[in-house]
Amino acid sequence: MDQKLKISEILKKYTMIIALAVIIILFTVNTGGKMLLPQNVNNLIAQNAYVFILATGMLFCILTGGNIDLSVGSVVCFVGAIGGKMMVEMGISPYLTLIAMVIMGMLVGAWQGFWIAYVRIPPFIVTLAGMLMFRGLSNVVLQGMTLAPIPDQFLMLFNTYVPDFFAVEGFNLTCFLVGVIACVVYAVIVFNGRRQKLAKGYYVEPLTGVVVKMAVICIVLLSFMFRLAQYKGIPNALIWVAVIIGIYSYIASRTTTGRYFYAVGGNEKATKLSGINTNRVYFLAYLNMGLLAAIAGMVTVARLNSANPTAGNSYEMDAIAAVVIGGVSMSGGSGKWHGVVIGALMIAAIANGLDIMRVDANWQPVIKGIIIILAVFMDIRSKAKKA
């Protein structure tokens, strides 16, 4: 009986990880192994980097009370349009353009954050208006045309690879060693955290479970880095994604500001009575979303090697889907950054797998929609059982 209970608990705790593994296996079988080819693993990251970036920002918006940002796809396009205009038509330095794109993204975020946080217009309305406004402004800036090509200095920041310092032919040893180092650092952090909890008398997971989980994560990470090493190594887009996830996971779990987002989503009135400026928390959530939309715009422009009026279409849906699938509560106040990473991986894997299988593009949104419904259903069911 106890054994059945433990298995049931494991299945509940790692449902999304198991689902991700099943999806990858199914697509690998149905694509004749193409899903896990080194070049395709690289493409999966390069083509879906925006999902990880936008989902990270969407997490903080949803944490404040289930609020979403419908405008991020349009903001990605708008910021990209400004960047393309500056570099291609005006000949401005790519580095100055990067700064301008970041500033513009934050201005957009501040604009929407002001109406949401201080005027108290519902986020759905403000960001719906933003979706229409910034898509329209993108067309105004581009005049309905595509601007290309993008200067090489800009592309190098996002589309190149970390060089192999060992110059091994046919295998990027630097890439694989980075994976090994990441596993070692991860193990040190886990064991150090466990030791500190034991010293303070907190409950900790059994050592066997910790070791097994760590081994599985390290095997997956090393397998992933091995595949990348067989192609060209670590793409710069992956570095951007890793840095953003690292920074925001620290903010969410280790800082007071991060805790404020959870508190506002859990109970705004109680949070306000405790002395926390809830308006400021809302404002920061959308200011941050604008910043990350700008970075996603840079990644998108570099990947397409152009700025065009259709860039960013449905990006907001992918970001929201990644957060929801990752187990973040749509009522706010609950959710983990690693769940968002898993959700983004699932969205990326599904999109990549469907493309390889040449599934009709009209059916792909249908499949994503079904997955979102199922994810929310599982979240509601899980909470009902806990209650």
Side-chain angles (χ1 to χ4, degrees), residues 20-340:
L20 175 61
V22 169
I23 286 171
I24 292 174
I25 291 169
L26 286 174
F27 277 123
T28 300
V29 172
N30 287 314
T31 59
K34 291 179 182 178
M35 181 78 173
L36 295 180
L37 287 176
Q39 185 172 353
N40 189 64
V41 172
N42 178 278
N43 289 339
L44 188 145
I45 296 299
Q47 292 174 4
N48 295 280
Y50 74 90
V51 180
F52 295 89
I53 296 169
L54 294 177
T56 302
M58 196 68 72
L59 166 66
F60 287 88
C61 293
I62 292 177
L63 283 177
T64 59
N67 304 310
I68 58 177
D69 189 339
L70 294 172
S71 69
V72 291
S74 297
V75 176
V76 165
C77 184
F78 177 56
V79 172
I82 289 174
K85 189 83 170 179
M86 291 176 68
M87 289 185 288
V88 178
E89 286 197 352
M90 301 172 68
I92 296 175
S93 163
Y95 304 110
L96 289 177
T97 301
L98 281 173
I99 296 171
M101 292 172 78
V102 168
I103 292 172
M104 183 54 66
M106 294 183 73
L107 285 174
V108 169
W111 163 263
Q112 299 196 130
F114 168 76
W115 293 108
I116 293 167
Y118 297 106
V119 184
R120 288 292 172 156
I121 298 176
F124 181 87
I125 301 299
V126 173
T127 58
L128 177 61
M131 180 176 70
L132 300 173
M133 288 169 54
F134 297 114
R135 181 64 64 179
L137 286 172
S138 301
N139 280 282
V140 170
V141 172
L142 295 174
Q143 296 181 340
M145 298 185 297
T146 296
L147 297 179
I150 301 299
D152 290 339
Q153 298 100 309
F154 187 90
L155 297 179
M156 284 179 63
L157 294 171
F158 303 96
N159 278 3
T160 52
Y161 296 80
V162 176
D164 183 9
F165 299 105
F166 299 94
V168 177
E169 187 176 351
F171 188 82
N172 193 306
L173 185 57
T174 300
C175 174
F176 188 71
L177 288 178
V178 167
V180 173
I181 293 169
C183 287
V184 172
V185 171
Y186 169 65
V188 170
I189 292 173
V190 170
F191 283 125
N192 187 51
R194 191 174 188 277
R195 180 182 58 79
Q196 290 179 353
K197 286 182 179 179
L198 284 171
K200 294 177 182 178
Y202 295 156
Y203 170 79
V204 294
E205 289 184 54
L207 183 59
T208 304
V210 172
V211 171
V212 170
K213 182 169 71 174
M214 188 185 306
V216 171
I217 291 173
C218 287
I219 289 170
V220 171
L221 177 60
L222 289 175
S223 300
F224 173 69
M225 297 304 283
F226 181 79
R227 279 304 196 187
L228 288 181
Q230 288 180 306
Y231 184 54
K232 293 182 180 180
I234 302 173
N236 282 358
L238 179 59
I239 296 176
W240 283 90
V241 168
V243 169
I244 288 170
I245 290 174
I247 291 172
Y248 283 93
S249 64
Y250 178 81
I251 291 172
S253 59
R254 300 284 183 177
T255 68
T256 304
T257 301
R259 289 293 143 198
Y260 287 168
F261 289 98
Y262 286 94
V264 170
N267 191 322
E268 184 186 351
K269 289 184 179 179
T271 303
K272 195 169 186 176
L273 289 172
S274 68
I276 296 171
N277 188 339
T278 55
N279 290 346
R280 181 171 172 269
V281 174
Y282 283 118
F283 182 80
L284 285 175
Y286 287 90
L287 177 68
N288 175 67
M289 190 72 254
L291 169 63
L292 290 178
I295 296 174
M298 298 172 194
V299 172
T300 301
V301 167
R303 181 173 65 84
L304 299 175
N305 194 17
S306 68
N308 69 74
T310 61
N313 276 341
S314 299
Y315 277 19
E316 60 279 351
M317 295 298 105
D318 289 337
I320 294 168
V323 175
V324 172
I325 291 170
V328 177
S329 173
M330 286 306 291
S331 59
S334 175
K336 299 295 183 181
W337 65 269
H338 51 77
V340 174

